[in-house]
Amino acid sequence: MTAPATTDSEYDEIPAAPDEGGRAPASRYGLLALAVMLVVGLLLGYAGGLLTPRLTRPGDASVEAGFARDMTTHHAQAVEMSLIAYRSATLPEVRQIAVDIATGQQGEIGAMQTWLREWGLSPTGSNPPMSWMSDGATLKDGLMPGMATPAQMTALRNAQGIEVDRQFLALMYDHHLGGIHMIDAALGATDNAEVLRVANTMKNTQQSELNNLRQLQAQAAKG
C-alpha cells in the first residue's frame, strides 16, 4: 500500500497567523528543512571525525574522551534550546541564530561521536562527568558549566511571545560561556591535532555568537 501522494502546495511556506502568545509559528516546510539540515550536519560531522589520526588512540579516562562525551551532552542541550527558539521565538534574528547554533553543534556532535568510535570507546564511559577537568568537582547541581536547569528548560518550553526570545538568549549566553570554559580546559590538556582543530573552531564560533547574542538581548529587551 503506497502512501498518498502529496502536492507542492502542502508545503508552501504561507505565513502563519500569530498564536495566542504573539508567536509566528514556523511553517511545516521550515521545520522539515531544519530537520534535514540537522541530519546533514550530523553526517558531515561524522565524516569529519573520520579524519582523526590513528597513530595514537586516547584511552577511556583521557581528556579527549571526557571532552567528547561531556561536550556532546552540553551540545545536545544547546540543540534542544535552539529548536524551541526556532519554533517559538518572535524575532527573525533570534530564530536565525537558533538555526545556526542547532546545525553547527549537531555537526560537532557527529564529529565527537565518530572520534569515540574510532578510538574504540563507548559513548558514555565509566568516569563521572567533568572528571577529566582539573575543576571537575565544581559541578553545580550535577550540571556542567552553563547548562540550564530542568526548571529553566521547562520555563523556556512554556514561554510565550517575546519571553521565548529573552529566555533563550539569556540561557544560550550562559551556555556558551560554560562551553568555552570546557573548551579551554581541553585545549590546555590535549595534543591531539584533530581535537585541537575542532575545539578551536568551537571556541571561535561560540565567541562570535556571544557577541550576537548580546546584541539580540538588547533588541529583545525593547520588544
Side-chain angles (χ1 to χ4, degrees):
M1 180 177 178
T2 59
T6 60
T7 64
D8 292 340
S9 62
E10 291 184 52
Y11 297 97
D12 287 344
E13 193 161 3
I14 301 173
D19 63 13
E20 294 178 356
R23 295 175 290 193
S27 67
R28 288 180 59 190
Y29 178 84
L31 290 172
L32 177 61
L34 178 57
V36 171
M37 285 191 290
L38 290 176
V39 172
V40 170
L42 189 63
L43 294 176
L44 289 175
Y46 284 146
L50 293 174
L51 300 176
T52 307
R54 302 187 185 188
L55 296 178
T56 59
R57 294 189 177 188
D60 189 66
S62 66
V63 167
E64 293 82 3
F67 173 70
R69 289 164 175 154
D70 288 349
M71 191 55 77
T72 290
T73 300
H74 205 269
H75 273 23
Q77 189 184 66
V79 171
E80 181 182 0
M81 290 194 295
S82 296
L83 291 176
I84 294 170
Y86 175 73
R87 290 193 299 266
S88 304
T90 62
L91 298 175
E93 297 87 351
V94 172
R95 292 175 64 179
Q96 182 58 56
I97 198 171
V99 170
D100 294 342
I101 292 171
T103 54
Q105 297 209 4
Q106 189 79 348
E108 290 166 356
I109 287 173
M112 292 185 289
Q113 290 302 299
T114 299
W115 295 346
L116 293 171
R117 285 199 302 275
E118 289 295 300
W119 298 337
L121 303 175
S122 72
T124 54
S126 56
N127 293 324
M130 304 288 287
S131 59
W132 56 278
M133 289 183 65
S134 59
D135 62 349
T138 62
L139 286 178
K140 184 177 181 181
D141 299 326
L143 295 172
M144 287 177 271
M147 289 190 70
T149 66
Q152 287 173 322
M153 290 299 295
T154 297
L156 178 62
R157 294 186 195 100
N158 294 336
Q160 296 184 2
I162 194 65
E163 272 305 306
V164 179
D165 307 63
R166 291 169 178 164
Q167 290 186 33
F168 167 73
L169 293 169
L171 291 175
M172 190 59 71
Y173 190 88
D174 290 343
H175 203 274
H176 273 12
L177 288 177
I180 291 172
H181 175 65
M182 294 169 64
I183 293 166
D184 281 338
L187 289 172
T190 184
D191 59 0
N192 182 291
E194 179 65 7
V195 174
L196 286 169
R197 182 186 69 80
V198 173
N200 272 306
T201 299
M202 286 183 190
K203 181 175 180 178
N204 292 337
T205 299
Q206 292 192 28
Q207 286 179 327
S208 175
E209 288 172 346
L210 279 174
N211 293 329
N212 294 335
L213 290 167
R214 189 182 300 111
Q215 293 173 6
L216 288 171
Q217 281 181 303
Q219 184 176 344
K222 301 174 183 177

